[in-house]
Amino acid sequence: QECGNSKCDEMETYINCIDDCPITVETLLLIDDYPVHIDSQYVIISIEVSYLENIEAGQFNLSYNEDILEIENSSDCYINENFNPNNIVFVINSNIPGTIQGVFYTLENLILNGEFIHIRFKVIGSLGQLSDLEFVSFIVNNTNITNYSENGTVTIGNFGCMDSSACNYSPEAT
């Protein structure tokens, strides 16, 4: 097995050699949908990655509605705490409203699986508004995996129970 030779050898798959082998699943990246209560000041979303090995570097662009969500500072975007910060460098640009640009690289090959990146947004929208969270691009080891992503949304609502005897009853529940 020689990953990086532009040929998908017998023991290789997209999982251990994304540079050489075709991707055979529909989703490698996922952002869930996040219902946020109107009284919430913040929401933390996660970018999840399906199991991938031998990842050396990557970059991504994520778009959101800047009239509904806001990033207060670049430290609001961070790598999952399960990754050793001595083994991975993560740089973020959140200075462009509505866009997050990120770059990561490592000296050791990474295994990506599950929650990878967390983003903390300040909720500035109104009741009933929603913001799409959309991958504009996501590239790992020079392979574009954007087409294997599932985008999410943040929806601002008054999420509670409409049963007046319930402990989370809210007469304005939606």
Side-chain angles (χ1 to χ4, degrees), residues 14-16 27-28 49-55 111-114:
Y14 74 91
I15 291 172
N16 62 9
T27 305
L28 288 175
V49 180
S50 293
Y51 191 86
L52 294 174
E53 296 177 356
N54 299 319
I55 303 302
I111 294 175
L112 301 181
N113 188 33

Side-chain angles (χ1 to χ4, degrees), residues 39-50:
D39 295 333
S40 298
Q41 286 188 304
Y42 296 95
V43 61
I44 297 175
I45 66 109
S46 296
I47 296 175
E48 297 183 34
V49 180
S50 293

Side-chain angles (χ1 to χ4, degrees), residues 41-75:
Q41 286 188 304
Y42 296 95
V43 61
I44 297 175
I45 66 109
S46 296
I47 296 175
E48 297 183 34
V49 180
S50 293
Y51 191 86
L52 294 174
E53 296 177 356
N54 299 319
I55 303 302
E56 298 167 351
Q59 65 185 39
F60 68 92
N61 286 315
L62 182 76
S63 69
Y64 62 94
N65 185 328
E66 70 269 16
D67 295 327
I68 297 169
L69 301 172
E70 177 180 80
I71 300 233
E72 292 183 308
N73 57 60
S74 60
S75 64

Side-chain angles (χ1 to χ4, degrees), residues 64 71-75 77 92-101:
Y64 62 94
I71 300 233
E72 292 183 308
N73 57 60
S74 60
S75 64
C77 303
I92 200 80
N93 177 6
S94 60
N95 295 328
I96 305 166
T99 301
I100 299 168
Q101 300 170 321

Side-chain angles (χ1 to χ4, degrees), residues 36-140:
V36 177
H37 193 274
I38 184 64
D39 295 333
S40 298
Q41 286 188 304
Y42 296 95
V43 61
I44 297 175
I45 66 109
S46 296
I47 296 175
E48 297 183 34
V49 180
S50 293
Y51 191 86
L52 294 174
E53 296 177 356
N54 299 319
I55 303 302
E56 298 167 351
Q59 65 185 39
F60 68 92
N61 286 315
L62 182 76
S63 69
Y64 62 94
N65 185 328
E66 70 269 16
D67 295 327
I68 297 169
L69 301 172
E70 177 180 80
I71 300 233
E72 292 183 308
N73 57 60
S74 60
S75 64
D76 286 339
C77 303
Y78 52 96
I79 295 287
N80 186 324
E81 52 278 352
N82 292 333
F83 289 96
N84 182 342
N86 297 322
N87 292 340
I88 189 167
V89 176
F90 182 59
V91 180
I92 200 80
N93 177 6
S94 60
N95 295 328
I96 305 166
T99 301
I100 299 168
Q101 300 170 321
V103 173
F104 59 93
Y105 64 93
T106 180
L107 299 175
E108 311 178 348
N109 288 341
L110 289 176
I111 294 175
L112 301 181
N113 188 33
E115 292 181 357
F116 178 47
I117 297 169
H118 301 293
I119 303 170
R120 180 177 174 254
F121 287 105
K122 182 175 183 179
V123 179
I124 59 173
S126 304
L127 182 66
Q129 290 186 309
L130 67 86
S131 173
D132 290 326
L133 303 169
E134 184 177 329
F135 291 107
V136 176
S137 66
F138 204 107
I139 298 167
V140 291

